[in-house]
Amino acid sequence: MVDTATDQGHSISEMDDELLPVPKHRLHGPKHFLGLYGAEHVAATEFVIGAAFVAMGASIQDILLGLLIGNTLAAMSFWLITAPIAVKTRLSLYTYIEYHLGDMTSRIYNGANVLIFAAISAAMITVSATAVRVLFDIPPQIYPYPSNLAFAAIAASASVIAVVVAYYGFNVVAEFATICTPWLMVMFTAGGMVLIPALNETLTGYTTLASFSEFVNLAGATVFTGINAEGQPGIGLVEVIGFAWAANTFAHFGLVDMAMLRYAKKSVYGLCTATGMMFGHYVAWISAALMGAATASMMKLSIAVVSPGDVAYYALGATGFVIVIIAGWTTANPNLYRAGLAAQAVFPKVPRQKVTLAVGAVVVVGSCFPFIYRQILPILAYAGLVLVPIGGIVFAEQHVFPRLGLKSNWHRLKGLRDNKPALITWAICLVFGFGLNATGILYFVYLFLPTWMVAIVCYTLLAKAAGAGESYPEAEQREQEFNRKVEEYHARLAATETHVDVKDTSTLTKGIRAVWILVGLVVPAVLAWRVLFNSPDLYAYYVNREMFYSVTIWCTLIYFVFAWWDLQRSKAMQKGDHASTGPMQAAPAT
C-alpha cells in the first residue's frame, strides 16, 4: 500500500473512492486496456495528424520506419515507466501529487491538466462536428472562431454526449471503448483501401496495384513525397520518430495515464497500449494521410484545407460521418475523465462527477472553436514539455528514493503543507525545457527527454537537502494506521462487490456475437478488399466503391446494435441475472 495521508477528521468511507488506492477486486485484465487504448488512439484527429505529416514533407520510407520505431518506443514507455508506478501506488497521478508533492504543486499542476485535457477533448469534438456539418450543408469552418451558429450548435451537442459518458467514470468509458475499437480499426483500414485505386489512377492511369512495392512507389509519389507545403525538403526519419514518441509524452513519461493503468492487475498490461500506438498511431495515421491526399485530389484542393468530415465522406460514404463522430467521442471521453480527476484534485471536497460536469461546460464552449483542433500536434508536444517534469519527480520518488534510503512522502511526514523542492524543480525544468527550445539545439519533439532527466536529478538533490532522508517515527506510525484502515475498508467493499466471472455459452449469445463479427466487421473488410484488388478499371472501381458505401452503413448499424446487445447480456450475467442469458460456466476474470 502506498503511503498516504488524509484529514483525520473524516473516516475512510466518507472519502471519494477516486482519492483512495484502487482495491484489488476492482482491477482489470488486458481486455479492458486493449479496448480502451485502441479506441482512444484511433481518433478523429488521426485525419488531422495524417495530413500534417504530408504537409511537413515526410517521405514514405521515413514514415514506414519512423512511425514503427517511434510508436514502439511509446508503447515501451507506457510499459516500463507508467505502468509499474501506477500498479505500485494504485493512485491516479492527480491524487498522488496531492499526497506527495504538496498543495501548491497539486493546484498548479492539476489546473494545467484541466486546461490541456479540456483543449484535447474540445479538439476531438470539433473534428466530429466537421463530419456532421456536411449533412446539413454547413460551409467549412476556415476561421479560428465559429462562423456559423449551426456548426456551433452541432459541436456543443456532441460535447454534451461525451461529457455524459465521462461523468459515469472508468467502467463506462472502457465499455464504450470496447465496443468501438474493433469497428474503428476495420473502418480506418478500409477507408484507405477504398481510395487507393483512385489515387493510383491519377498517377499511373491504372486502378490496380500488383505489389507492396507499387504501393510504396504510389505513396511516395503522391502522398509522402519528402517535399513540404512550401516546396522545401521535409522532415526526416529522426523527426518522424520523435513525433510518434512525443505524441503521448504527457501520458507515459509524464505519468498522466496512471489514472487508467492503476486499474491494471499487472504492469505488463502497459503493453496493451500497443493497440493504440501501433494501429491508431501507425496504420491509422498512414491510412488517414492516403485518404486525405485522395480526397484533396478529388476536390481539387490542398490537403491542408480539407476537413476530416470531407475525407471520411469520400473514403467511407455515409459511414464516414459515423466514424468521425465515434472516433471523436472515444478520445474525448477518457480525456474528459482525466480532466475530471485533475479538477477533483484542485477541489478535493467536490465529487468527481460534479467537477467533470464543470470541465465539460468548458469543453462545450471550446469545441465550437476550430483553431483548437488545427493546433493539435503543437498542443500535444508542448503539453508534454509542461507535464513531463512532474513525471520525472514521481519517477525519482518511486525508483530512485528507495535506493538512496529517502522517503517518498517526506514532506507530509515532516508536517509541511507544500513541497518546495517539487515546485522549484518544476520551475527549473520549465525554464530549461523552453530555453532549450529557444536555442534550436534540439528538435522540439525531443525536449521531454533531457527535461525529464533534469527533473529526476534536481528533485532528488533538493528533497534530500530538505529532509527526505530523515526519520519521522510518529508520523510514520500514523501513516501505517491510515493504510490499515484503507485495507479494512477495501475488504468491506470486496465482500459486497466481488463476483465470480462467468462465461455465457448460450446459443443466442453465440449468434449475437457471430452477427456483429461477420456482418459488422468481416463484410466491410471483404468489400474494401474487393474495391482495392478487384477493380480493373474506373467503371469497376466506381461500381465496387458504391457497393461498399451502400452496404457498409447498414453493416455499421447492425454492428453497434448487436455489439451493444452482447455487452448488455454479459453485464447481466455478471450481475447474476442468469435466467435471461441462458447457460453459463465459470471463467477466469479478464
Side-chain angles (χ1 to χ4, degrees):
M1 175 82 63
V2 66
D3 289 338
T4 54
T6 188
D7 185 353
Q8 300 300 316
H10 292 82
S11 68
I12 298 297
S13 59
E14 290 176 338
M15 294 181 66
D16 192 312
D17 281 355
E18 296 284 3
L19 300 178
L20 295 173
V22 176
K24 291 182 180 180
H25 69 279
R26 290 182 182 173
L27 302 181
H28 294 285
K31 180 180 177 181
H32 274 273
F33 300 98
L34 289 169
L36 185 66
Y37 279 96
E40 179 183 359
H41 295 286
V42 184
T45 46
E46 314 314 349
F47 291 106
V48 181
I49 296 174
F53 278 113
V54 178
M56 289 187 291
S59 71
I60 183 60
Q61 290 82 8
D62 290 341
I63 282 290
L64 292 175
L65 182 58
L67 291 185
L68 179 63
I69 296 173
N71 286 307
T72 297
L73 290 171
M76 291 182 67
S77 298
F78 278 113
W79 170 36
L80 299 175
I81 295 176
T82 317
I85 296 175
V87 168
K88 180 181 179 183
T89 65
R90 296 297 179 195
L91 295 171
S92 71
L93 179 63
Y94 318 110
T95 304
Y96 182 99
I97 292 172
E98 176 70 20
Y99 288 153
H100 291 255
L101 302 187
D103 291 347
M104 184 61 70
T105 305
S106 175
R107 300 298 185 272
I108 297 174
Y109 178 83
N110 287 298
N113 265 271
V114 172
L115 295 176
I116 289 168
F117 290 119
I120 294 173
S121 298
M124 303 300 149
I125 300 299
T126 309
V127 172
S128 296
T130 66
V132 181
R133 71 152 185 86
V134 179
L135 293 173
F136 296 95
D137 199 28
I138 297 172
Q141 301 299 289
I142 60 176
Y143 299 106
Y145 52 86
S147 58
N148 186 285
L149 288 177
F151 176 84
I154 289 169
S157 299
S159 298
V160 169
I161 296 174
V163 171
V164 169
V165 173
Y167 173 87
Y168 286 101
F170 179 86
N171 286 334
V172 172
V173 171
E175 287 172 2
F176 188 70
T178 299
I179 289 177
C180 295
T181 299
W183 180 81
L184 285 170
M185 289 181 173
V186 169
M187 290 304 164
F188 257 97
T189 305
M193 294 170 68
V194 167
L195 289 187
I196 283 175
L199 198 61
N200 193 43
E201 198 277 335
T202 63
L203 178 69
T204 66
Y206 298 100
T207 55
T208 57
L209 291 172
S211 64
F212 180 73
S213 63
E214 287 191 8
F215 164 76
V216 172
N217 292 336
L218 168 67
T222 60
V223 184
F224 299 111
T225 61
I227 303 298
N228 64 25
E230 287 74 38
Q232 302 297 320
I235 59 175
L237 178 64
V238 173
E239 289 82 2
V240 173
I241 293 172
F243 271 112
W245 194 8
N248 285 97
T249 308
F250 60 87
H252 45 73
F253 271 76
L255 299 180
V256 165
D257 268 17
M258 284 173 61
M260 303 297 179
L261 291 170
R262 62 184 168 143
Y263 287 93
K265 290 182 178 179
K266 302 175 182 178
S267 62
V268 72
Y269 295 165
L271 287 174
C272 293
T273 58
T275 57
M277 300 302 103
M278 290 304 180
F279 191 89
H281 291 184
Y282 188 77
V283 175
W285 280 356
I286 294 173
S287 182
L290 292 170
M291 287 188 278
T295 301
S297 175
M298 293 176 185
M299 298 179 69
K300 301 187 184 307
L301 293 172
S302 166
I303 192 173
V305 299
V306 174
S307 77
D310 293 324
V311 174
Y313 174 72
Y314 274 95
L316 297 165
T319 307
F321 299 132
V322 181
I323 192 173
V324 176
I325 294 169
I326 294 296
W329 282 340
T330 54
T331 304
N333 289 338
N335 279 300
L336 270 169
Y337 177 66
R338 293 185 183 103
L341 291 175
Q344 186 186 36
V346 178
F347 305 102
K349 295 183 179 180
V350 181
R352 183 193 61 81
Q353 287 87 345
K354 289 186 178 180
V355 293
T356 298
L357 290 178
V359 173
V362 176
V363 172
V364 169
V365 175
S367 66
C368 300
F369 291 82
F371 81 91
I372 297 177
Y373 91 82
R374 293 197 182 103
Q375 299 299 316
I376 191 64
L377 271 178
I379 287 175
L380 292 175
Y382 288 114
L385 189 57
V386 171
L387 303 183
V388 155
I390 297 297
I393 290 171
V394 176
F395 183 89
E397 286 195 337
Q398 293 301 312
H399 292 290
V400 178
F401 278 29
R403 290 171 170 80
L404 299 178
L406 307 180
K407 295 177 176 61
S408 63
N409 63 336
W410 63 273
H411 93 284
R412 287 276 190 176
L413 297 176
K414 196 171 181 178
L416 302 177
R417 185 177 181 85
D418 292 314
N419 186 329
K420 291 184 179 179
L423 284 170
I424 294 171
T425 297
W426 193 12
I428 290 172
C429 289
L430 290 179
V431 172
F432 172 80
F434 284 97
L436 193 61
N437 181 50
T439 66
I441 296 175
L442 188 65
Y443 198 58
F444 77 96
V445 293
Y446 286 106
L447 294 173
F448 72 92
L449 277 173
T451 303
W452 183 73
M453 295 175 186
V454 167
I456 293 172
V457 174
C458 282
Y459 182 67
T460 300
L461 295 175
L462 291 173
K464 185 176 182 180
E470 298 175 11
S471 179
Y472 308 94
E474 292 184 5
E476 290 178 39
Q477 181 63 36
R478 289 195 298 271
E479 294 288 350
Q480 291 174 6
E481 178 63 17
F482 174 77
N483 289 339
R484 185 186 63 79
K485 290 180 179 179
V486 171
E487 290 176 352
E488 292 176 352
Y489 173 62
H490 284 171
R492 293 195 297 272
L493 285 179
T496 60
E497 296 178 354
T498 301
H499 63 272
V500 177
D501 196 13
V502 292
K503 183 177 181 180
D504 187 354
T505 60
S506 66
T507 302
L508 178 57
T509 296
K510 291 179 180 178
I512 293 170
R513 201 158 294 158
V515 169
W516 67 255
I517 292 174
L518 294 175
V519 177
L521 302 177
V522 176
V523 170
V526 170
L527 290 175
W529 182 275
R530 186 166 178 260
V531 174
L532 178 59
F533 294 106
N534 291 282
S535 299
D537 52 46
L538 273 179
Y539 176 78
Y541 168 67
Y542 287 129
V543 170
N544 290 338
R545 191 179 72 177
E546 287 304 316
M547 179 177 291
F548 173 84
Y549 289 164
S550 301
V551 175
T552 298
I553 186 62
W554 293 107
C555 292
T556 294
L557 177 61
I558 291 170
Y559 173 83
F560 280 102
V561 169
F562 279 79
W564 182 257
W565 187 6
D566 187 6
L567 177 63
Q568 296 311 305
R569 285 178 61 82
S570 176
K571 289 173 63 178
M573 175 164 288
Q574 300 309 320
K575 291 179 180 178
D577 187 13
H578 308 311
S580 63
T581 55
M584 62 179 181
Q585 65 183 43
T590 53

